[in-house]
Amino acid sequence: MRRWLALVLVFMFALAAPGANPQAGEGQTAPEFTLRDIDNKPVSLKDMAGKVTLISFWATWCAPCQVEMPHLQKLYDAYKDQGFVLLMISADDARSVSRVKPLIKSKGYSFPVLLDTDTKVVSQYNPNKTLPYSELIGPDLKVLWQHQGYTAGDEVETERRVKLAIEALAAAKTVAPPAAPVAP
Amino acid sequence: MPPRATTSAFAAQALLMVLGALSSGLAAAEEDEGRPELSFSGQDDLEFRYWRDDRTLPDFPEEDHLFDYWELVNRINMKVDRGPLQLGVQLDAVGMLGAYYYLNDERVNEFDLHAEGVNFPLPLAYANVDKLWLGYQGDSAQLLVGDGYIAFGRGLALSLVKNTNIDIDSSLRGAHAKVTLGSWDLTAVSGVTNAQQVWQDNPNKQQIRPDQWHMVSGLRVDRYGLGPLNLGAHSVVYSFADRADLEAQPWEGYARGVDAAITGASVEAFGVLGLDLFAEGDLFLYPGGDVLGVEDNEPGYAVYGSAAAYPGRVALLVEGKHYKDVERVNAVVSRDLYEVAVGPTLEYERVITEDSGAAVNSNDISGVRVRADVAAKPGVLTPSLTLGLFRDRELGGLHFNRAPETIVHPVAGVDWIADSVHVLANAGFRVDKRDDLPGGVSLGADRMAHLDLSLGFPIGSAHGEIGGDLRYFMWGENLNQQTDFTLLTANAAVHLGHGVSIVGYTDWTDDPLIDSVGNINENLYAAGELQLQPADGMTFKLFYGAYRAGIRCAGGQCRMLPGFDGARLSATINF
């Protein structure tokens, strides 16, 4: 019994020590990536600096992802002109990637969709690949918020987080000092 | 246990200490002007479970059921980022707290069957640095030393990617480099396969074993934006270790001969005459045929193509494949329950059975799949029709049949997603018609009717979900004369808000091939689960009950997963 107890304690220590941060992921630098979108254009996270970016991992075989997508489309439509970017990253591997663009087209979605066919990016952001999985990235490319899974109503919290980040972005632009004069 | 595992265990401890120091100490010193900040993040998947199998062995007392099994599984992923540099580690650990079976009327701890040395950090535990990598992400170059994932083209020649749906996480441990020069990408990898030692969904009893270091080296060149075209070409060579090489070091693979060599090319076109096109062809050479368990060195080949068009409100996708002696490249690694190359199967993998699973890994198969989705109400209502046609000429192996077969598989589906209500449903009928034997002897056809359903709806301020699938399988003539069977899986969930959900599960089956028994009666399984998300990036689940065993296919691979009868507490925490 003592062996059991000691073992459990060791494992729980491993669990608890790094998890001491109650705001999971907040403030960490989002891993950089460059992926191609479904129209063959390369997209890099670093190009999203100065914007509010929601990265959402999904797959064609993931039912909750399909249910969440219409809500993300509405979010994209509502805030895309306010410095908001939505990057839908498909975690479909090479085997099923042909299905991605037809699915997007069949639903009439217009948000950007990127392909991560060798699972490198999803493995960095969410190693256990539970889908859907979202991270909200700030203008400084640091993580503001993470969310795993989708159940009805989650879109309310997602929109609240996005709205807060956009408001903070707008406020920062308002109070930003004028650029220093450049020497001729 | 080989020294390698013990070394890994100590390396795990050292790395944990280093990463902990980096996160707690060095982060405070990151105020230096102009230096990229240090960032530490990770994810912990923990599961504590009790499995029980109440079946008894013949001639043993009834109280001597097959096993009681206590297990604690922990997978910790940690990363340290600093500008373009990244250091990552995945520590897999399992505590086999009690895995008992009965032998000669004695209760024996199965842990004792493991080789000596599985003793880290305490007795009855095993820990392993399963993944370790150092990466550099520059504007025109990405370099990685250690464990990485890689796929070329559509995965026919090389596909070592995570497939967590069926508990597969095999990486390529070595050097990965990708250099971008204008519109050219050059990708080179070389290393050894690194399969996971610790299973997250399967019991770890008797399954922890050292890695077999199979050598893989590959090169791919991509040319993007040649007008509407992307062109690519690749070559991959494999050198497989055999069972006698368990003590071999990874680099020794370079001295072995090549067992399989694959070369291929792909072309992709965007928006040509309104079509998106893809085609790939690969030639498989097997100079080491004997290693792969075959007597001949006949080459194999694979051709895959897809075309997508979007006329009006319709999205049309046509895919075709012809694979001959392609699966032989997976012959050695499949013993360790993973594959190194997985092409598109075109199958509806959720309905694959023990019988039809043979077609997924056939060495001689052609097929086409046509799917049409119609945006009846864009973003809300999307009906679809799919037709799969296959000709499987392989016999033997996993096949239950003695003759080639023709497979016809139509599926109709509908997605309806409104604000707070959704319906995702499809139904289909699959026929595997076997050719008649000489003399006109009919072997009949295997047939399966299937229905998948997911409903979501509001219940007051809460939200409900009902999901399930139903399969009815009818055998044709087969060597073992199996009986027809039904599979029913259903679940109902209530999401109460504030991250609290209650889920009930049930399975019913009379499939005689399944290696599990129900907890309600022989055929009926029931379970319940409480799910809690007290904070973002933190999920706890408490499960009690049973579910059935059976084959599950995902990502082009199939695996027999065990049933479960017991309780488990799981946690996923991002940090």
Side-chain angles (χ1 to χ4, degrees):
Chain A
M1 188 62 199
R2 283 169 53 196
R3 276 198 311 193
W4 271 48
L5 185 60
L7 189 60
V8 169
L9 287 174
V10 166
F11 276 78
M12 292 309 289
F13 175 77
L15 180 73
N21 176 7
Q23 299 298 318
E26 187 177 333
Q28 294 154 8
T29 303
E32 170 58 13
F33 60 80
T34 299
L35 295 172
R36 290 196 171 259
D37 70 10
I38 54 175
D39 293 316
N40 201 31
K41 296 186 186 72
V43 177
S44 296
L45 180 64
K46 65 176 186 293
D47 296 335
M48 306 305 149
K51 301 173 183 173
V52 172
T53 306
L54 182 68
I55 298 175
S56 182
F57 292 93
W58 67 285
T60 56
W61 41 261
C62 163
C65 304
Q66 314 306 322
V67 179
E68 184 185 33
M69 277 181 163
H71 301 291
L72 294 175
Q73 178 66 49
K74 286 179 187 168
L75 193 68
Y76 178 68
D77 290 340
Y79 298 103
K80 66 182 177 186
D81 297 329
Q82 300 176 43
F84 173 62
V85 178
L86 173 62
L87 298 179
M88 298 290 294
I89 301 182
S90 164
D92 283 87
D93 60 23
R95 187 193 56 85
S96 60
V97 70
S98 294
R99 174 86 191 93
V100 174
K101 189 171 177 181
L103 184 147
I104 295 299
K105 291 282 188 181
S106 72
K107 309 275 188 185
Y109 298 140
S110 58
F111 42 58
V113 177
L114 313 184
L115 305 174
D116 181 27
T117 51
D118 49 13
T119 70
K120 279 179 182 162
V121 178
V122 68
S123 298
Q124 287 203 22
Y125 276 80
N126 184 30
N128 71 8
K129 276 188 74 176
T130 305
L131 299 177
Y133 177 80
S134 301
E135 289 203 5
L136 186 63
I137 313 291
D140 56 357
L141 301 183
K142 289 187 175 176
V143 177
L144 298 172
W145 178 64
Q146 299 174 332
H147 186 68
Q148 198 157 312
Y150 173 78
T151 53
D154 285 357
E155 67 275 9
V156 177
E157 177 64 7
T158 304
E159 180 167 9
R160 189 181 75 82
R161 296 281 186 165
V162 168
K163 210 171 168 182
L164 278 174
I166 289 173
E167 286 169 0
L169 176 66
K173 282 180 178 170
T174 305
V175 300
V182 178
Chain B
M1 197 67 177
R4 183 168 61 235
T6 308
T7 307
S8 294
F10 284 110
Q13 194 172 31
L15 273 164
L16 281 170
M17 293 170 64
V18 169
L19 288 167
L22 283 170
S23 64
S24 59
L26 297 184
E30 288 309 307
E31 304 304 325
D32 296 359
E33 293 295 327
R35 295 183 66 188
E37 288 187 17
L38 195 73
S39 180
F40 177 79
S41 62
Q43 188 177 68
D44 194 338
D45 279 309
L46 175 75
E47 193 161 296
F48 182 40
R49 56 201 181 201
Y50 168 66
W51 307 54
R52 180 183 174 91
D53 192 325
D54 279 330
R55 289 174 292 179
T56 56
L57 295 171
D59 304 324
F60 277 72
E62 282 194 4
E63 62 270 21
D64 290 356
H65 53 272
L66 274 180
F67 64 81
D68 289 314
Y69 191 58
W70 292 90
E71 189 175 50
L72 186 60
V73 181
N74 201 11
R75 170 168 288 181
I76 305 175
N77 274 277
M78 285 174 287
K79 282 192 292 124
V80 177
D81 292 88
R82 176 169 222 158
L85 292 174
Q86 184 182 80
L87 173 66
V89 61
Q90 176 180 308
L91 174 67
D92 284 0
V94 56
M96 287 169 281
L97 309 177
Y100 297 105
Y101 68 102
Y102 293 88
L103 181 65
N104 297 331
D105 256 357
E106 286 191 20
R107 192 168 182 248
V108 181
N109 191 336
E110 201 163 64
F111 185 83
D112 297 335
L113 295 178
H114 288 280
E116 292 179 4
V118 187
N119 279 319
F120 172 86
L122 289 170
L124 301 184
Y126 173 83
N128 184 42
V129 177
D130 201 66
K131 312 289 183 234
L132 176 64
W133 71 95
L134 176 65
Y136 168 80
Q137 174 99 25
D139 286 337
S140 57
Q142 299 170 36
L143 306 172
L144 183 147
V145 178
D147 290 290
Y149 302 93
I150 185 73
F152 284 170
R154 285 294 187 263
L156 289 157
L158 174 61
S159 177
L160 275 165
V161 299
K162 272 180 186 265
N163 190 351
T164 48
N165 285 326
I166 49 175
D167 201 11
I168 295 176
D169 185 4
S170 298
S171 59
L172 183 65
R173 175 171 287 183
H176 302 232
K178 182 177 178 181
V179 178
T180 301
L181 297 169
S183 52
W184 292 82
D185 273 1
L186 176 67
T187 306
V189 295
S190 186
V192 291
T193 57
N194 178 28
Q196 68 196 57
Q197 264 70 58
V198 174
W199 305 104
Q200 283 192 298
D201 298 333
N202 296 293
N204 287 282
K205 56 190 173 76
Q206 294 180 300
Q207 288 192 331
I208 292 178
R209 50 193 168 196
D211 266 308
Q212 286 269 285
W213 302 121
H214 305 295
M215 280 295 311
V216 184
S217 296
L219 183 68
R220 179 169 169 94
V221 179
D222 286 290
R223 169 69 163 91
Y224 293 99
L226 197 64
L229 300 180
N230 291 344
L231 303 177
H234 53 249
S235 287
V236 185
V237 293
Y238 293 92
S239 177
F240 297 105
D242 60 36
R243 286 289 169 194
D245 289 340
L246 270 178
E247 298 295 331
Q249 296 300 317
W251 53 85
E252 291 178 26
Y254 287 103
R256 290 195 298 263
V258 170
D259 297 312
I262 306 168
T263 188
S266 63
V267 58
E268 192 168 16
F270 292 84
V272 176
L273 301 174
L275 296 172
D276 290 333
L277 303 166
F278 180 91
E280 177 175 341
D282 290 270
L283 177 65
F284 290 65
L285 302 175
Y286 299 107
D290 52 335
V291 174
L292 302 172
V294 290
E295 294 177 356
D296 65 70
N297 288 348
E298 289 295 311
Y301 58 92
V303 178
Y304 167 81
S306 69
Y310 316 100
R313 291 188 168 191
V314 177
L316 186 66
L317 175 64
V318 180
E319 295 172 274
K321 68 173 184 178
H322 180 54
Y323 303 158
K324 179 77 170 76
D325 287 331
V326 167
E327 284 292 330
R328 283 165 60 176
V329 75
N330 292 314
V332 177
V333 296
S334 62
R335 294 172 202 150
D336 289 329
L337 304 177
Y338 69 98
E339 298 184 5
V340 290
V342 187
T345 63
L346 315 189
E347 297 268 14
Y348 183 36
E349 294 177 338
R350 280 172 54 88
V351 302
I352 295 295
T353 64
E354 287 79 354
D355 174 56
S356 52
V360 173
N361 291 308
S362 174
N363 264 310
D364 192 357
I365 190 166
S366 309
V368 63
R369 178 173 64 181
V370 181
R371 175 169 176 144
D373 291 79
V374 181
K377 188 174 179 186
V380 177
L381 180 62
T382 316
S384 65
L385 278 175
T386 308
L387 177 64
L389 292 171
F390 305 93
R391 176 70 177 164
D392 184 2
R393 288 169 290 269
E394 190 180 42
L395 306 178
L398 298 171
H399 289 71
F400 284 68
N401 53 317
R402 291 169 284 168
E405 57 191 13
T406 301
I407 301 163
V408 182
H409 191 184
V411 180
V414 64
D415 291 2
W416 179 52
I417 305 170
D419 275 346
S420 57
V421 178
H422 77 259
V423 178
L424 308 177
N426 67 60
F429 192 76
R430 175 179 170 132
V431 177
D432 295 28
K433 173 69 180 77
R434 298 181 181 127
D435 290 359
D436 291 347
L437 293 177
V441 177
S442 172
L443 296 176
D446 296 338
R447 290 147 291 153
M448 183 169 67
H450 60 86
L451 170 71
D452 288 348
L453 183 65
S454 170
L455 305 174
F457 46 86
I459 310 172
S461 60
H463 191 81
E465 277 185 58
I466 294 175
D469 50 70
L470 176 66
R471 289 91 175 84
Y472 180 57
F473 190 85
M474 298 156 277
W475 290 93
E477 297 293 318
N478 67 89
L479 289 173
N480 299 319
Q481 285 307 308
Q482 308 289 342
T483 55
D484 299 348
F485 62 86
T486 302
L487 290 165
L488 170 66
T489 300
N491 62 77
V494 180
H495 305 291
L496 299 171
H498 306 292
V500 180
S501 300
I502 299 169
V503 191
Y505 303 92
T506 186
D507 290 342
W508 188 92
T509 183
D510 56 358
D511 182 356
L513 296 177
I514 282 179
D515 183 27
S516 62
V517 294
N519 57 342
I520 306 299
N521 61 41
E522 186 179 355
N523 299 328
L524 182 62
Y525 305 69
E529 187 173 69
L530 174 65
Q531 300 179 353
L532 301 171
Q533 282 191 308
D536 294 316
M538 187 179 290
T539 303
F540 294 96
K541 295 179 181 177
L542 180 60
F543 176 97
Y544 178 75
Y547 55 78
R548 67 173 173 83
I551 192 169
R552 190 183 303 165
C553 299
Q557 300 178 69
C558 298
R559 191 175 256 200
M560 297 300 295
L561 294 180
F564 182 86
D565 185 0
R568 68 181 179 215
L569 171 67
S570 56
T572 301
I573 297 176
N574 292 354
F575 52 88

